Amino acid sequence: MKKLMAANWKMYKNRADALSTAQELRKLVSDKLPEDREVLIFPPFTSIDRVAEAFSGAQGFHVGGQDYYLHEEGAYTGEISPSMLKDAGAGWGLTGHSERRHVLGEDDELVGQKTAYGLQQGLNVCLCIGETIEQRKGGKVQEVIDRQLAAGVRNVDRDLDPARLAVAYEPVWAIGTGEVAGSEEIEEAHGLTRKKLLELFGDKANEIRILYGGSVKPANVSGIISLDNVDGVLVGGASLASDSFAEIVLG
Ligand code: PGA
């Protein structure tokens, strides 16, 4: 199973900056990228084609969309479809990110519908889950993981190629705060995630990648990536500069 080193650029970068960052990243990483690692960037919609252009022909480099809606086309002002993402060069979609859940108001049901729909339409999907600090303090980590996962994959075809689905465990309190989760907390949450995936998908769950996200930096990535059940990372702030993300990808 290849480790997936993913970047979420959120609402940052214009087209010129996205192109140059992706080109620099390719230059810094492509000769040294180990066989068992892949790079994935989620730029804003407006820059997907630019990142795809920068990565064109490079082995192990992928592009994704940060969101999409539940129809191929139609009167849905402001929305974008999986086929439009694919047309722009994206092979992946992201669902359930905490900012979409907590800032944009997406609930478990919508996240689940988007996850199943994107997969059906031929995107690979990275589904994000994770508890808030109040939920952690209230002893609800397992309950949140179980609930978000069950709802997130409710309508996903159980015959799915497991390489097409990734789950990112991102504790909300660690996102953008500089407060990375501790090794024990990560191993515990990833173990619970694997257990629930096994219950939902059977043995093939061992091939679904579980990424950690939340304040990953060049200085902490090697410790995190070597933990049990950590099959990659999803990086926000530290992915915006090519040199910092290159260190993470190779770290
Ligand atoms: P961060 O963001 O690396 O800036 O904490 C992670 C994310 O939002 O996916």
Side-chain angles (χ1 to χ4, degrees), residues 65-111:
Q66 295 173 21
D67 186 31
Y68 51 83
Y69 196 50
L70 301 171
H71 299 272
E72 276 316 274
E73 59 181 15
Y76 303 104
T77 301
E79 295 299 330
I80 193 159
S81 72
S83 69
M84 289 167 178
L85 293 180
K86 288 197 292 180
D87 183 48
W92 282 78
L94 190 67
T95 58
H97 189 276
S98 86
E99 286 145 23
R100 298 224 50 98
R101 291 178 190 267
H102 300 291
V103 184
L104 284 309
E106 293 196 9
D107 62 12
D108 284 341
E109 195 189 336
L110 180 58
V111 172

CSV table of all heavy atoms in Angstrom, one decimal, residues 65-111:
chain,number,residue,atom,x,y,z
A,65,GLY,N,-10.3,17.7,-6.2
A,65,GLY,CA,-11.2,18.8,-5.9
A,65,GLY,C,-11.6,18.8,-4.5
A,65,GLY,O,-11.8,17.7,-3.9
A,66,GLN,N,-11.7,20.0,-3.8
A,66,GLN,CA,-12.0,20.1,-2.4
A,66,GLN,C,-13.4,19.8,-2.1
A,66,GLN,O,-13.8,19.7,-0.9
A,66,GLN,CB,-11.6,21.4,-1.9
A,66,GLN,CG,-10.1,21.7,-1.9
A,66,GLN,CD,-9.8,23.1,-1.5
A,66,GLN,OE1,-10.6,23.8,-0.8
A,66,GLN,NE2,-8.6,23.6,-1.9
A,67,ASP,N,-14.3,19.8,-3.1
A,67,ASP,CA,-15.7,19.6,-2.8
A,67,ASP,C,-16.4,19.3,-4.2
A,67,ASP,O,-15.8,19.6,-5.2
A,67,ASP,CB,-16.3,20.8,-2.2
A,67,ASP,CG,-17.8,20.6,-1.8
A,67,ASP,OD1,-18.2,19.5,-1.5
A,67,ASP,OD2,-18.6,21.6,-1.8
A,68,TYR,N,-17.6,18.8,-4.2
A,68,TYR,CA,-18.4,18.7,-5.4
A,68,TYR,C,-19.8,18.4,-5.0
A,68,TYR,O,-20.1,18.1,-3.8
A,68,TYR,CB,-17.9,17.6,-6.3
A,68,TYR,CG,-17.7,16.3,-5.6
A,68,TYR,CD1,-18.8,15.4,-5.4
A,68,TYR,CD2,-16.5,15.9,-5.1
A,68,TYR,CE1,-18.6,14.2,-4.7
A,68,TYR,CE2,-16.3,14.7,-4.4
A,68,TYR,CZ,-17.4,13.9,-4.2
A,68,TYR,OH,-17.2,12.7,-3.5
A,69,TYR,N,-20.8,18.6,-5.9
A,69,TYR,CA,-22.2,18.4,-5.6
A,69,TYR,C,-22.7,17.1,-6.2
A,69,TYR,O,-22.0,16.3,-6.8
A,69,TYR,CB,-23.0,19.6,-6.0
A,69,TYR,CG,-24.4,19.7,-5.4
A,69,TYR,CD1,-24.5,19.6,-4.0
A,69,TYR,CD2,-25.5,19.8,-6.2
A,69,TYR,CE1,-25.8,19.6,-3.5
A,69,TYR,CE2,-26.8,19.9,-5.6
A,69,TYR,CZ,-26.9,19.7,-4.3
A,69,TYR,OH,-28.1,19.8,-3.7
A,70,LEU,N,-24.0,16.8,-5.9
A,70,LEU,CA,-24.6,15.5,-6.1
A,70,LEU,C,-25.2,15.2,-7.5
A,70,LEU,O,-26.0,14.3,-7.6
A,70,LEU,CB,-25.6,15.2,-5.0
A,70,LEU,CG,-25.1,15.3,-3.6
A,70,LEU,CD1,-26.2,15.3,-2.6
A,70,LEU,CD2,-24.1,14.2,-3.3
A,71,HIS,N,-24.9,16.1,-8.4
A,71,HIS,CA,-25.5,15.9,-9.8
A,71,HIS,C,-24.4,16.2,-10.8
A,71,HIS,O,-23.5,16.9,-10.5
A,71,HIS,CB,-26.7,16.9,-10.0
A,71,HIS,CG,-27.8,16.6,-9.0
A,71,HIS,ND1,-28.8,15.7,-9.2
A,71,HIS,CD2,-28.0,17.2,-7.8
A,71,HIS,CE1,-29.6,15.7,-8.2
A,71,HIS,NE2,-29.1,16.6,-7.3
A,72,GLU,N,-24.6,15.7,-12.0
A,72,GLU,CA,-23.7,15.9,-13.1
A,72,GLU,C,-23.7,17.3,-13.7
A,72,GLU,O,-22.8,17.9,-14.1
A,72,GLU,CB,-23.8,14.8,-14.2
A,72,GLU,CG,-23.1,13.6,-13.8
A,72,GLU,CD,-21.7,13.8,-13.3
A,72,GLU,OE1,-20.8,14.0,-14.1
A,72,GLU,OE2,-21.5,13.9,-12.0
A,73,GLU,N,-25.0,17.8,-13.7
A,73,GLU,CA,-25.2,19.2,-14.2
A,73,GLU,C,-26.6,19.6,-13.8
A,73,GLU,O,-27.4,18.8,-13.3
A,73,GLU,CB,-25.0,19.3,-15.7
A,73,GLU,CG,-26.0,18.5,-16.5
A,73,GLU,CD,-25.8,18.6,-18.0
A,73,GLU,OE1,-24.7,19.2,-18.4
A,73,GLU,OE2,-26.7,18.2,-18.7
A,74,GLY,N,-26.9,20.9,-13.9
A,74,GLY,CA,-28.2,21.3,-13.6
A,74,GLY,C,-28.3,22.7,-13.0
A,74,GLY,O,-27.2,23.4,-12.9
A,75,ALA,N,-29.5,23.1,-12.5
A,75,ALA,CA,-29.6,24.4,-11.9
A,75,ALA,C,-29.2,24.4,-10.5
A,75,ALA,O,-30.1,24.4,-9.6
A,75,ALA,CB,-31.1,24.8,-12.1
A,76,TYR,N,-27.9,24.4,-10.2
A,76,TYR,CA,-27.4,24.3,-8.9
A,76,TYR,C,-26.3,25.4,-8.8
A,76,TYR,O,-25.1,25.1,-8.8
A,76,TYR,CB,-26.8,23.0,-8.6
A,76,TYR,CG,-27.8,21.9,-8.7
A,76,TYR,CD1,-27.8,21.0,-9.8
A,76,TYR,CD2,-28.8,21.7,-7.8
A,76,TYR,CE1,-28.7,20.0,-10.0
A,76,TYR,CE2,-29.8,20.7,-7.9
A,76,TYR,CZ,-29.7,19.9,-9.0
A,76,TYR,OH,-30.7,18.9,-9.2
A,77,THR,N,-26.7,26.7,-8.7
A,77,THR,CA,-25.8,27.8,-8.7
A,77,THR,C,-24.7,27.7,-7.7
A,77,THR,O,-24.9,27.4,-6.5
A,77,THR,CB,-26.6,29.1,-8.5
A,77,THR,OG1,-27.6,29.2,-9.5
A,77,THR,CG2,-25.7,30.3,-8.6
A,78,GLY,N,-23.5,27.9,-8.2
A,78,GLY,CA,-22.3,27.8,-7.3
A,78,GLY,C,-21.7,26.5,-7.1
A,78,GLY,O,-20.6,26.4,-6.5
A,79,GLU,N,-22.4,25.5,-7.6
A,79,GLU,CA,-21.9,24.1,-7.4
A,79,GLU,C,-21.0,23.6,-8.6
A,79,GLU,O,-21.0,24.2,-9.7
A,79,GLU,CB,-23.0,23.1,-7.1
A,79,GLU,CG,-23.7,23.5,-5.8
A,79,GLU,CD,-22.9,23.4,-4.6
A,79,GLU,OE1,-21.9,22.6,-4.6
A,79,GLU,OE2,-23.1,24.2,-3.6
A,80,ILE,N,-20.4,22.5,-8.4
A,80,ILE,CA,-19.5,21.9,-9.4
A,80,ILE,C,-19.7,20.4,-9.3
A,80,ILE,O,-19.9,19.8,-8.2
A,80,ILE,CB,-18.0,22.3,-9.2
A,80,ILE,CG1,-17.2,22.0,-10.4
A,80,ILE,CG2,-17.5,21.7,-7.9
A,80,ILE,CD1,-15.9,22.8,-10.4
A,81,SER,N,-19.6,19.7,-10.5
A,81,SER,CA,-19.8,18.2,-10.5
A,81,SER,C,-18.5,17.4,-10.6
A,81,SER,O,-17.5,17.9,-11.0
A,81,SER,CB,-20.8,17.9,-11.6
A,81,SER,OG,-20.1,18.0,-12.8
A,82,PRO,N,-18.6,16.1,-10.2
A,82,PRO,CA,-17.4,15.3,-10.3
A,82,PRO,C,-16.9,15.3,-11.8
A,82,PRO,O,-15.7,15.3,-12.0
A,82,PRO,CB,-18.0,13.9,-9.9
A,82,PRO,CG,-19.0,14.2,-8.9
A,82,PRO,CD,-19.7,15.4,-9.4
A,83,SER,N,-17.8,15.2,-12.8
A,83,SER,CA,-17.3,15.2,-14.1
A,83,SER,C,-16.6,16.5,-14.5
A,83,SER,O,-15.7,16.5,-15.3
A,83,SER,CB,-18.4,14.8,-15.1
A,83,SER,OG,-19.3,15.9,-15.2
A,84,MET,N,-17.1,17.6,-14.0
A,84,MET,CA,-16.4,18.9,-14.2
A,84,MET,C,-15.0,18.9,-13.6
A,84,MET,O,-14.0,19.4,-14.2
A,84,MET,CB,-17.2,20.1,-13.7
A,84,MET,CG,-18.5,20.3,-14.5
A,84,MET,SD,-19.5,21.5,-13.6
A,84,MET,CE,-20.9,21.6,-14.8
A,85,LEU,N,-14.9,18.3,-12.4
A,85,LEU,CA,-13.6,18.2,-11.8
A,85,LEU,C,-12.7,17.3,-12.6
A,85,LEU,O,-11.5,17.6,-12.8
A,85,LEU,CB,-13.7,17.6,-10.4
A,85,LEU,CG,-14.4,18.4,-9.3
A,85,LEU,CD1,-14.4,17.6,-8.0
A,85,LEU,CD2,-13.7,19.7,-9.1
A,86,LYS,N,-13.2,16.2,-13.1
A,86,LYS,CA,-12.4,15.3,-13.9
A,86,LYS,C,-12.0,16.0,-15.2
A,86,LYS,O,-10.8,15.9,-15.7
A,86,LYS,CB,-13.2,14.0,-14.2
A,86,LYS,CG,-13.3,13.1,-13.0
A,86,LYS,CD,-13.7,11.7,-13.4
A,86,LYS,CE,-15.1,11.6,-13.9
A,86,LYS,NZ,-15.5,10.3,-14.3
A,87,ASP,N,-12.9,16.7,-15.8
A,87,ASP,CA,-12.6,17.5,-17.0
A,87,ASP,C,-11.4,18.5,-16.8
A,87,ASP,O,-10.6,18.7,-17.7
A,87,ASP,CB,-13.8,18.2,-17.5
A,87,ASP,CG,-13.7,18.9,-18.8
A,87,ASP,OD1,-13.2,18.3,-19.7
A,87,ASP,OD2,-14.0,20.1,-18.8
A,88,ALA,N,-11.3,19.0,-15.6
A,88,ALA,CA,-10.3,20.0,-15.3
A,88,ALA,C,-9.0,19.3,-14.9
A,88,ALA,O,-7.9,19.9,-14.8
A,88,ALA,CB,-10.7,20.9,-14.1
A,89,GLY,N,-9.0,17.9,-14.8
A,89,GLY,CA,-7.7,17.2,-14.5
A,89,GLY,C,-7.7,16.5,-13.1
A,89,GLY,O,-6.7,16.0,-12.8
A,90,ALA,N,-8.8,16.6,-12.4
A,90,ALA,CA,-8.8,16.0,-11.0
A,90,ALA,C,-9.1,14.5,-11.1
A,90,ALA,O,-10.0,14.1,-11.9
A,90,ALA,CB,-9.8,16.7,-10.1
A,91,GLY,N,-8.5,13.7,-10.3
A,91,GLY,CA,-8.8,12.3,-10.1
A,91,GLY,C,-9.4,12.0,-8.8
A,91,GLY,O,-9.9,10.9,-8.5
A,92,TRP,N,-9.3,13.0,-7.9
A,92,TRP,CA,-9.8,12.7,-6.5
A,92,TRP,C,-10.8,13.8,-6.1
A,92,TRP,O,-10.8,14.9,-6.6
A,92,TRP,CB,-8.6,12.8,-5.5
A,92,TRP,CG,-7.7,11.6,-5.5
A,92,TRP,CD1,-6.8,11.2,-6.4
A,92,TRP,CD2,-7.7,10.6,-4.5
A,92,TRP,NE1,-6.2,10.1,-6.0
A,92,TRP,CE2,-6.7,9.6,-4.8
A,92,TRP,CE3,-8.4,10.4,-3.3
A,92,TRP,CZ2,-6.5,8.5,-4.0
A,92,TRP,CZ3,-8.2,9.3,-2.5
A,92,TRP,CH2,-7.2,8.3,-2.9
A,93,GLY,N,-11.6,13.5,-5.1
A,93,GLY,CA,-12.4,14.5,-4.4
A,93,GLY,C,-12.2,14.4,-2.9
A,93,GLY,O,-11.8,13.3,-2.4
A,94,LEU,N,-12.5,15.4,-2.2
A,94,LEU,CA,-12.4,15.5,-0.7
A,94,LEU,C,-13.8,15.6,-0.2
A,94,LEU,O,-14.6,16.5,-0.7
A,94,LEU,CB,-11.5,16.7,-0.4
A,94,LEU,CG,-11.1,16.8,1.1
A,94,LEU,CD1,-10.1,15.7,1.4
A,94,LEU,CD2,-10.4,18.1,1.3
A,95,THR,N,-14.2,14.9,0.8
A,95,THR,CA,-15.5,15.0,1.5
A,95,THR,C,-15.3,15.1,3.0
A,95,THR,O,-14.4,14.5,3.6
A,95,THR,CB,-16.4,13.8,1.2
A,95,THR,OG1,-15.8,12.6,1.6
A,95,THR,CG2,-16.7,13.8,-0.3
A,96,GLY,N,-16.2,15.8,3.6
A,96,GLY,CA,-16.3,15.8,5.1
A,96,GLY,C,-15.3,16.5,5.8
A,96,GLY,O,-15.1,16.4,7.0
A,97,HIS,N,-14.5,17.4,5.1
A,97,HIS,CA,-13.5,18.2,5.8
A,97,HIS,C,-14.2,19.0,7.0
A,97,HIS,O,-15.3,19.5,6.8
A,97,HIS,CB,-12.8,19.1,4.9
A,97,HIS,CG,-11.6,19.8,5.5
A,97,HIS,ND1,-11.7,20.9,6.3
A,97,HIS,CD2,-10.3,19.4,5.6
A,97,HIS,CE1,-10.5,21.2,6.8
A,97,HIS,NE2,-9.6,20.3,6.4
A,98,SER,N,-13.5,19.2,8.1
A,98,SER,CA,-14.1,19.8,9.2
A,98,SER,C,-14.6,21.2,8.9
A,98,SER,O,-15.6,21.7,9.5
A,98,SER,CB,-13.2,19.8,10.4
A,98,SER,OG,-12.3,20.9,10.4
A,99,GLU,N,-13.9,21.9,8.0
A,99,GLU,CA,-14.3,23.2,7.7
A,99,GLU,C,-15.7,23.2,6.9
A,99,GLU,O,-16.5,24.1,7.0
A,99,GLU,CB,-13.3,24.0,6.9
A,99,GLU,CG,-12.1,24.4,7.8
A,99,GLU,CD,-10.7,24.4,7.2
A,99,GLU,OE1,-10.6,24.4,6.0
A,99,GLU,OE2,-9.8,24.2,8.0
A,100,ARG,N,-15.9,22.2,6.1
A,100,ARG,CA,-17.2,22.0,5.4
A,100,ARG,C,-18.3,21.6,6.4
A,100,ARG,O,-19.4,22.0,6.3
A,100,ARG,CB,-17.1,21.0,4.3
A,100,ARG,CG,-16.1,21.5,3.2
A,100,ARG,CD,-16.6,21.4,1.8
A,100,ARG,NE,-17.9,21.9,1.6
A,100,ARG,CZ,-18.2,23.1,1.0
A,100,ARG,NH1,-17.2,24.0,0.7
A,100,ARG,NH2,-19.5,23.5,0.8
A,101,ARG,N,-17.9,20.8,7.4
A,101,ARG,CA,-18.9,20.4,8.4
A,101,ARG,C,-19.2,21.5,9.3
A,101,ARG,O,-20.4,21.8,9.6
A,101,ARG,CB,-18.3,19.2,9.3
A,101,ARG,CG,-18.1,17.9,8.5
A,101,ARG,CD,-17.5,16.9,9.5
A,101,ARG,NE,-17.1,15.6,8.9
A,101,ARG,CZ,-17.9,14.5,8.7
A,101,ARG,NH1,-19.1,14.5,9.2
A,101,ARG,NH2,-17.4,13.4,8.2
A,102,HIS,N,-18.2,22.2,9.8
A,102,HIS,CA,-18.4,23.2,10.9
A,102,HIS,C,-18.6,24.6,10.4
A,102,HIS,O,-19.3,25.4,11.1
A,102,HIS,CB,-17.3,23.1,11.9
A,102,HIS,CG,-17.2,21.8,12.5
A,102,HIS,ND1,-18.1,21.3,13.4
A,102,HIS,CD2,-16.3,20.8,12.4
A,102,HIS,CE1,-17.8,20.0,13.8
A,102,HIS,NE2,-16.7,19.7,13.2
A,103,VAL,N,-18.0,25.0,9.3
A,103,VAL,CA,-18.2,26.4,8.8
A,103,VAL,C,-19.3,26.4,7.8
A,103,VAL,O,-20.1,27.3,7.8
A,103,VAL,CB,-16.9,26.9,8.1
A,103,VAL,CG1,-17.1,28.4,7.7
A,103,VAL,CG2,-15.7,26.8,9.1
A,104,LEU,N,-19.4,25.4,6.9
A,104,LEU,CA,-20.4,25.4,5.8
A,104,LEU,C,-21.6,24.6,6.1
A,104,LEU,O,-22.5,24.5,5.3
A,104,LEU,CB,-19.8,25.0,4.5
A,104,LEU,CG,-18.8,25.9,3.7
A,104,LEU,CD1,-19.5,27.3,3.5
A,104,LEU,CD2,-17.5,26.1,4.3
A,105,GLY,N,-21.6,24.0,7.3
A,105,GLY,CA,-22.8,23.3,7.8
A,105,GLY,C,-23.2,22.0,7.2
A,105,GLY,O,-24.3,21.6,7.2
A,106,GLU,N,-22.2,21.3,6.6
A,106,GLU,CA,-22.5,19.9,6.1
A,106,GLU,C,-22.7,18.9,7.2
A,106,GLU,O,-22.0,18.8,8.1
A,106,GLU,CB,-21.4,19.5,5.1
A,106,GLU,CG,-21.3,20.4,3.9
A,106,GLU,CD,-20.5,19.8,2.8
A,106,GLU,OE1,-20.1,18.6,2.8
A,106,GLU,OE2,-20.2,20.5,1.8
A,107,ASP,N,-23.8,18.1,7.0
A,107,ASP,CA,-24.0,17.1,8.1
A,107,ASP,C,-23.5,15.7,7.6
A,107,ASP,O,-23.2,15.5,6.4
A,107,ASP,CB,-25.5,17.0,8.5
A,107,ASP,CG,-26.4,16.7,7.4
A,107,ASP,OD1,-26.0,16.3,6.3
A,107,ASP,OD2,-27.6,16.9,7.6
A,108,ASP,N,-23.6,14.7,8.5
A,108,ASP,CA,-23.1,13.4,8.1
A,108,ASP,C,-23.8,12.8,6.9
A,108,ASP,O,-23.2,12.1,6.1
A,108,ASP,CB,-23.4,12.4,9.3
A,108,ASP,CG,-22.5,12.6,10.5
A,108,ASP,OD1,-21.4,13.1,10.3
A,108,ASP,OD2,-22.8,12.1,11.6
A,109,GLU,N,-25.1,13.1,6.8
A,109,GLU,CA,-25.8,12.5,5.7
A,109,GLU,C,-25.3,13.1,4.3
A,109,GLU,O,-25.1,12.3,3.4
A,109,GLU,CB,-27.3,12.8,5.8
A,109,GLU,CG,-28.2,11.9,4.9
A,109,GLU,CD,-29.6,12.3,4.9
A,109,GLU,OE1,-30.1,12.9,5.9
A,109,GLU,OE2,-30.2,12.0,3.9
A,110,LEU,N,-25.2,14.4,4.2
A,110,LEU,CA,-24.7,15.0,3.0
A,110,LEU,C,-23.3,14.5,2.7
A,110,LEU,O,-22.9,14.2,1.5
A,110,LEU,CB,-24.7,16.5,3.1
A,110,LEU,CG,-24.2,17.3,1.9
A,110,LEU,CD1,-25.1,17.0,0.6
A,110,LEU,CD2,-24.3,18.8,2.1
A,111,VAL,N,-22.4,14.4,3.7
A,111,VAL,CA,-21.1,13.9,3.5
A,111,VAL,C,-21.1,12.5,2.9
A,111,VAL,O,-20.4,12.2,2.0
A,111,VAL,CB,-20.3,14.0,4.8
A,111,VAL,CG1,-18.9,13.3,4.7
A,111,VAL,CG2,-20.1,15.4,5.3
